[in-house]
Amino acid sequence: MAGFRALAREVRNPRNTIALRRTSLRKCLERFAPYGHRATWHHLCDLAGIAPADRAPDPARLVVALTELEEARAVWLAYEASFADRRKREKHDGIRQPAAVDAWHRNTWGGCDIVPCVSPDVYPAARLSDVLRRVIAAMEADPGDVCPVCSQDRLEWRPDLDRCPAQGPVCADCGIVVPAPVLTPGALAAARRRVLEDRYAAV
């Protein structure tokens, strides 16, 4: 099975058919898809000016989309290297049990669903690399009361997510499933209350 870099070369190869180049870009998302496969694809298409269902897009636009994905992957690989170094030091110092915030990292192994989006049509407006930097910074800081990506406080608790985690806070503005460890207990409680208030308001 080809790796991410081999597939990226196929996307850039002008001797390949446009169909193969598009397929190779889609396969890149099997190796790295921060929002989940469909939402990441929609984000890349939106950024590059490609219709998601277009089977013969402009090759230059495919390269624009690939460049966006590669920039974000470089941010993530640097974080994973830093994470591995930290855990090695912690184990050397006798800290065998990962911190609660590290549970998020275990669920994102391989670079898929790092900040999953509930809907493929709703995702952050910022570049992927910037989104990852904001989430990583939030993981390394004290918990806050707002979405680490868009800084909005309209968070809603969703008990029916079709991914890991199966439940959690979702930003009503940018659509990501916010990693629970980056939020204060008060923000998590408010997200749960908001769901109940909306449910009773509809009755």
Side-chain angles (χ1 to χ4, degrees), residues 4 24 29 51 62 64 67 70 72 78 82 84 100 115-117 123 127 132 143 149 175 178 195:
F4 183 95
S24 297
L29 300 185
L62 288 178
V64 169
T67 301
E70 288 175 324
S82 173
V115 277
C117 295
Y123 41 82
R127 296 184 69 88
L132 293 183
V149 172
V178 181
V195 171

Side-chain angles (χ1 to χ4, degrees), residues 142-162:
D142 292 332
D145 295 317
V146 297
C147 172
V149 172
C150 66
S151 300
Q152 299 297 318
D153 62 358
R154 295 189 305 137
L155 305 174
E156 300 175 354
W157 189 265
R158 290 284 299 271
D160 56 348
L161 302 176
D162 60 352

Side-chain angles (χ1 to χ4, degrees), residues 25-40:
L25 179 60
R26 290 300 296 260
K27 287 184 177 180
C28 283
L29 300 185
E30 296 172 10
R31 280 74 175 169
F32 182 73
Y35 298 155
H37 191 285
R38 292 181 64 209
T40 304

Side-chain angles (χ1 to χ4, degrees), residues 104-117:
W104 167 74
H105 184 266
R106 288 197 300 272
N107 292 334
T108 61
W109 189 256
C112 292
D113 286 331
I114 299 169
V115 277
C117 295

Side-chain angles (χ1 to χ4, degrees), residues 50-151:
I50 300 170
D54 187 354
R55 300 290 176 179
D58 180 346
R61 294 181 185 274
L62 288 178
V63 173
V64 169
L66 175 63
T67 301
E68 165 83 351
L69 195 62
E70 288 175 324
E71 289 174 357
R73 184 170 178 267
V75 171
W76 183 246
L77 291 178
Y79 168 76
E80 288 206 320
S82 173
F83 175 88
D85 288 343
R86 175 171 63 81
R87 285 298 297 139
K88 188 181 296 184
R89 291 193 304 272
E90 289 175 348
K91 290 178 181 178
H92 181 268
D93 294 338
I95 304 172
R96 308 298 299 181
Q97 186 67 31
V101 75
D102 294 335
W104 167 74
H105 184 266
R106 288 197 300 272
N107 292 334
T108 61
W109 189 256
C112 292
D113 286 331
I114 299 169
V115 277
C117 295
V118 174
S119 167
D121 300 316
V122 182
Y123 41 82
R127 296 184 69 88
L128 275 173
S129 55
D130 290 337
V131 169
L132 293 183
R133 287 188 188 97
R134 292 172 193 174
V135 173
I136 290 168
M139 283 291 177
E140 296 171 345
D142 292 332
D145 295 317
V146 297
C147 172
V149 172
C150 66
S151 300

